[in-house]
Amino acid sequence: MKPVIKRWLRRLAPWFAALIVIGALGAGLVWWKFFKPGQQHFADARGRFNYGSLDGELIAGLAYPVFMTLPRVFPDLVAKYSTQGFGPEKPGYGGYGAFGLAWEEGQRLPVGLSIRRLGYDRVTMNCALCHTASYRLSPDSQPHFAVGGPAHTLNLQGLLRFLIAASHDARFSAARLLPEISLNFPLDALDEADYAAVVIPATRAALHLAGRQVGWMDSKPAWGPGRDDAFNLSKYILTQSPWDDTVGNTKFPALWELGAGNDRLYHAAGEAKTLYAVVATSAIGVGSLPADGFAERNQWIEKFIAGLAPPPYPGKIDPALAAAGKSIFQARCAQCHAEGGARTGTVIPLAEIGTDPAHVRAWTRDDAGRMNTVVRLLGADHSEIQGARGGYVAKPLVGVWLLGPYLHNGSVPTLRDLLSPPDRRPAIFYTGYDVIDSDRVGFVSTGSDAEAHGFRFDTALRGNGNGGHPYGTELSDNEKRVLIEYLKTL
Amino acid sequence: MWAPRPLRLLNRGLRLIGALAAGACLFVALVAGIVWYDLSRDTPQTFYDEPLRQFEYGSTGGEILAGLPVGIFKALPTLCPDYLHGDSWSALGFIYQPGMNRPVGTSLRHSLGFDRVSLNCAACHTGTYRATPDSPPVIVPGMPANRLDLARFTRFLTDCITDERFNPWQVEQAVRGTGTHHSWLRWQLLKYGVVPAMREAVLLVKHRFRFLDHEPDPGPGRFDTFNPEKALLNWPFERIPGRETIGLADFPSLWLQGPRAQMHMHLHWDGNNESVEERNRSAAFGTGAVPTTLDRESMAFIADWLRTDHNVPPRYPFPIDAAKAAAGKSLYGHYCAACHGMSGRDFSGGLNGRVGEVTPIGEIRTDPCRLDNYTHALSAEQGNLYAAYPDERFSHFRKTDGYANLPLDGIWLRGPYLHNGSVPTVRDLLNPSDERPKVFYRGNDVIDRKKLGFVSNVPSEGGVPFFRFETQCTGPDCRPPDTGTLCVPGPFAGNSNRGHEGPAYGTDLSPEQKDALVEYLKTF
């Protein structure tokens, strides 16, 4: 080497060294501030299921200090988006509880929201958000929460729209959010700087991005409480397929006693063959990346779900009537809806079942193929799903008293209505009101209370059809009564 | 080094300028340092060697957010006497003690450049009584502040501070009038920093506390407890159902917190929390103390003091008829002890004791508004308060279905009675509700020895009216009084004197028996 170069190198060496040290310190600081992971601790498995992280913080995590203050900064937007489509007395306040989330007393956030540190505390969704059923026995009583039940009060679309609208509002700025945050969280100058320069702008940008990804929602019928368009979400976001005109609005299913059948098909139209695939793809759907611990966590969830059962029916059941109903059930329903029935867990073709076909059409074999490719590329194994199987899966009726409104799209408010011929089922009714209808079984869906608090469900909209499943409609009133009495026991 | 004369001069001049500049820089840095030190200095006035004074005058940390510079605090009554209907804070029921230049229940803290005053626990939990209208008031720590009108205090602050008089120059004039001295710099800070900031803050408070305009006037000795918490969470009041909007409650006493905590009694009128610490932090919001400003040392000290054996109500200072009281004791044991404790010190309720537990509204049938004001949605969202402090986060709040059974320690100082202070005396409470006074006066601290409670039938004293308390709407346009278990909003909703009646509650005892019971309760 030429001496000149050597000399220069010798002169610059300390500077290089300093640069490397500074760079390393900076990288360390960035890691510490934004990526240092934290641990969660739960007293029991239920706590972990309700509030545990699915490791989606990096992709789908919102800073907890920002997240918790949003309803305080945007009470008008909470009111607007939590009540859109609902009756005049739907509460438009109460933080995230306004969106029908199950919020247990003494908890930081509602069931289904996890807080875990990745540099800073980040909020993510987990399974329990859509799979915790809230119910009350009378309008004046307090809510009960059933783990694994369908979250029929959850207005997920309203919640998404609220977050996106907030991010487009001028108040979503450090100038407005930081003072609110600093009333609740001790922030030093460094914290304030990175909230102002990174966390708040990044959260805003992420929500803007999310808003663009779900723009298609506006041209389709509203999800309403207790439903989402899970397969279109995967199709448009995960596989980036072009937006089409399909509607896949579907009720959140219950997660009870799913461990029993081995050959059964999962999802409304049999899109998954194994429970593991359902869990893994759903986890990916909420931002969980197939990395270390992905499979183990999913297996834990699968095992936890397998042991879940619904709470017993909280009202009175007439044992004599129920016994009479049982024989009708055995004769008329068991083949498809009893555990071990010949057709239980299989797909009943559209031509036979006759229920609303929109969901089946929303998810084709090609869609499933693209999804499988993406999921495989991400690194998840045993997570293949398939196209809709041309009909709907006949499911066991575990905890059926908490599964209203009924059918895959929630288009029939009560069991009694489902036993009426399709043309005599209510064309308009109200969903998302959590008071049990002990007479017709389901939730109170008509009358002044339901109209005042509930979401107006219009069966004329695409995907909302209440036709089909004509079974038992010709039974006598008394037979229907005893059958329903028996169904309460399931 | 030699240089031509002009250059030498220039050189010398430059050196001089340089020295001057350096000096100026040093001076500016020094001043900036002092200002920064002064602005960032956060020192509370403490009385840690005198626990009672710490309770009366110690800080909760509320001054940092809600404190008024002490000069302005002193000047406000003279700046806006017309809003105050008086010329001193005592017009609102604040209590002055000899040797202290600010009322009981105010704290002092140097924060953001000024000695600032805010309220503390003692503001609402220190009261007075008099033997006769002519005797001097006796100050009792831990007693409900029976004369303090907190709603009028709130209104006075918003009215005065948003008044055109509250401008930098008149504020300076009024503050100077109180004998306050400040440096020139601090006057500038006060006039052009503090005054506009206070107006900003008051505009926010006025908006957030707008619920006060939609419920009956609390009057002295009462306030709304949980609507402020909804205000903190910025709930849109306009959307809240009428049934949930009225949260009026009497100030409770703060005595004997140790035994209460030991028995895990449910605190607050509806028994919605059993943690003394959470109850204290929740109440501290009312003094302006938020999670990031709470004075933890002082709060812990005060909480400890509240739990000591010294925190007891004073004995009834007037003669008690022993024979009558003895007769009353057996009646008490039969009718009252299970829910209210064996005595004023023994809070156990015997075999079927229910002290500190909640009696469902369908059974107690007192005014339901305060109960309905506290909702499941609020209890859930309170889980978010103090979220950054795992050991302090609220996790004990719960929605209940009735009102809690409270011990009756110092009951002679706790009138008017029931959670909403709707029954003036104990003797009235022993009557069925339709025989209880429909209208009476609050804010008098003369003891009513016959009926037990405070004198409630005197409309004014020395030309100053007492607060006229109406238990129901009585005009021609009124609906018949509601008797259900759900709150019905309307004029004087939340003020009903119904409930806690029937054979089980002793309202059909003979007048002699009731008098005996009253006599016994004087021993509590």
Side-chain angles (χ1 to χ4, degrees), chain A residues 99-115:
Chain A
F99 296 96
L101 281 73
W103 202 334
E104 298 178 304
E105 289 169 334
Q107 296 294 338
R108 287 195 284 181
L109 286 178
V111 172
L113 295 176
S114 144
I115 302 173

Side-chain angles (χ1 to χ4, degrees), chain A residues 45-205:
Chain A
R46 194 191 147 169
R48 178 175 169 188
F49 181 75
N50 282 350
Y51 305 106
S53 163
L54 302 184
D55 217 4
E57 282 78 14
L58 191 64
I59 298 212
L62 294 175
Y64 172 54
V66 174
F67 186 78
M68 73 159 269
T69 47
L70 289 183
R72 303 185 196 179
V73 176
F74 303 100
D76 50 329
L77 298 182
V78 171
K80 179 175 175 187
Y81 290 102
S82 67
T83 62
Q84 233 171 29
F86 285 81
E89 285 173 40
K90 165 77 173 70
Y93 54 89
Y96 290 101
F99 296 96
L101 281 73
W103 202 334
E104 298 178 304
E105 289 169 334
Q107 296 294 338
R108 287 195 284 181
L109 286 178
V111 172
L113 295 176
S114 144
I115 302 173
R116 199 176 71 126
R117 186 162 288 241
L118 190 64
Y120 47 90
D121 282 346
R122 305 192 198 204
V123 178
T124 50
M125 287 164 49
N126 65 25
C127 315
L129 186 75
C130 302
H131 300 289
T132 300
S134 168
Y135 63 97
R136 289 181 296 160
L137 304 180
S138 73
D140 298 323
S141 60
Q142 304 310 318
H144 298 268
F145 302 123
V147 190
H152 72 108
T153 56
L154 170 64
N155 179 3
L156 190 60
Q157 194 169 42
L159 178 60
L160 277 175
R161 285 185 167 143
F162 162 71
L163 292 171
I164 292 161
S167 75
H168 286 282
D169 191 288
R171 286 168 286 177
F172 202 107
S173 64
R176 178 67 185 89
L177 292 177
L178 264 184
E180 195 74 32
I181 292 171
S182 62
L183 291 181
N184 299 283
F185 289 81
L187 301 178
D188 57 31
L190 190 60
D191 292 330
E192 287 195 7
D194 68 47
Y195 267 86
V198 182
V199 175
I200 291 172
T203 306
R204 190 172 49 215

Side-chain angles (χ1 to χ4, degrees), chain A residues 289-353:
Chain A
L289 285 182
D292 281 353
F294 179 77
E296 289 79 1
R297 187 175 50 249
N298 294 337
Q299 281 153 10
W300 180 87
I301 293 169
E302 194 184 351
K303 215 174 126 212
F304 178 83
I305 290 174
L308 276 181
Y313 181 74
K316 284 201 178 68
I317 300 177
D318 184 321
L321 294 186
K326 182 170 185 178
S327 58
I328 299 175
F329 180 83
Q330 297 294 5
R332 303 296 307 276
C333 322
Q335 191 194 12
C336 291
H337 288 305
E339 202 60 70
R343 301 181 73 186
T344 306
T346 66
V347 168
I348 314 297
L350 270 181
E352 187 181 345
I353 189 76

